[in-house]
Amino acid sequence: MRSKTPRIETNRLALRAYSPEDASNLSRLAGDFDVAKMTSSVPHPYPRLSAEGYIMLTEAGRALGKDMPFAIELPGEGLIGAAGFHARGEREWEFGYWVGKPFWGKGFATEAARALLAWWDESMKVRCLSAARFVDNPASGRVLEKVGFKPNGEVKERFSLARLAKIPSVEYVRCAESGAGGI
C-alpha cells in the first residue's frame, strides 16, 4: 500500500502530506491536554522537537506502507488537525483523527473524514476499516457514525499516552459497499 499522499480538497479544507512547517501547530494544537487525552499516541506536553520527530516517523511509515497520514489544513491557519490510516496487520487498517480545540464544533472533523473515506473507498483495496474512541469522548463517536462507522459492540482498554493510563474505548467498524474500493 505504498503511495504518495494525494492532496484532497473540500469546500473549506485541504488534506495533504505533513510538511516540516506543520511542527509548530502540531505541537501547540495536538499538545493541548483536552486534545491529547482523547488520542492514543499524542503525549502531553508535546514539545516542538517531538512534533518534528513525529512528522519524520509518519513519513517513514508512509514509505513502508504502514501509515497514510494527512494534515488537515484550513487556508490562512495552516495545520488545524490530522487524520489518516494506520496498518494494524496484513489487511487491517484503522482510521483516526484529531482537530485542534479552537476548531471544535465547526464540522471540520466530519468534513475531513468524509473526504478521506471517499478517497479510501476509491483508491485502496481494503474494504473494512476499524476506528475507536475513548468512552469519555462521545463527540468523536458522533463524527465516526456520521461517516459510516458503527460500534461493533466491543469496549476495549487502549493506552492514552497523554493520560499515561489505559482507558475504556468503544470499537467501531466501517465496510465499503461491495464494489467500492475493492475486496
Side-chain angles (χ1 to χ4, degrees), residues 41-114:
S41 59
V42 176
H44 177 77
Y46 195 13
R48 182 184 168 115
L49 184 60
S50 294
E52 290 170 356
Y54 172 80
I55 290 170
M56 288 187 284
L57 284 172
T58 59
E59 291 306 312
R62 178 193 320 282
L64 294 172
K66 304 267 184 207
D67 288 302
M68 294 290 298
F70 290 81
I72 300 172
E73 177 186 324
L74 179 62
E77 296 285 341
L79 178 140
I80 65 163
F85 310 92
H86 177 72
R88 290 280 181 208
E90 182 82 17
R91 303 205 40 84
E92 295 177 36
W93 285 77
E94 183 173 52
F95 174 74
Y97 73 92
W98 65 267
V99 171
K101 195 172 179 181
F103 305 97
W104 287 359
K106 298 179 175 155
F108 292 129
T110 302
E111 185 174 331
R114 277 194 181 121

Side-chain angles (χ1 to χ4, degrees), residues 18-152:
Y18 283 107
S19 72
E21 293 77 31
D22 292 328
S24 181
N25 278 7
L26 179 59
S27 169
R28 180 176 55 83
L29 295 171
D32 179 314
F33 185 71
D34 288 337
V35 174
K37 74 179 183 181
M38 295 304 175
T39 72
S40 296
S41 59
V42 176
H44 177 77
Y46 195 13
R48 182 184 168 115
L49 184 60
S50 294
E52 290 170 356
Y54 172 80
I55 290 170
M56 288 187 284
L57 284 172
T58 59
E59 291 306 312
R62 178 193 320 282
L64 294 172
K66 304 267 184 207
D67 288 302
M68 294 290 298
F70 290 81
I72 300 172
E73 177 186 324
L74 179 62
E77 296 285 341
L79 178 140
I80 65 163
F85 310 92
H86 177 72
R88 290 280 181 208
E90 182 82 17
R91 303 205 40 84
E92 295 177 36
W93 285 77
E94 183 173 52
F95 174 74
Y97 73 92
W98 65 267
V99 171
K101 195 172 179 181
F103 305 97
W104 287 359
K106 298 179 175 155
F108 292 129
T110 302
E111 185 174 331
R114 277 194 181 121
L116 278 181
L117 291 165
W119 169 81
W120 180 268
D121 290 345
E122 290 293 319
S123 305
M124 302 316 232
K125 296 187 188 292
V126 176
R127 200 168 83 74
C128 294
L129 289 167
S130 64
R133 58 117 177 141
F134 291 125
V135 295
D136 57 349
N137 190 0
S140 185
R142 287 190 293 277
V143 169
L144 291 171
E145 289 178 17
K146 284 181 194 176
V147 297
F149 283 90
K150 296 188 181 347
N152 70 5

Side-chain angles (χ1 to χ4, degrees), residues 150-156 169-173:
K150 296 188 181 347
N152 70 5
E154 293 182 43
V155 175
K156 295 181 179 177
S169 175
V170 178
E171 305 291 312
Y172 289 78
V173 68

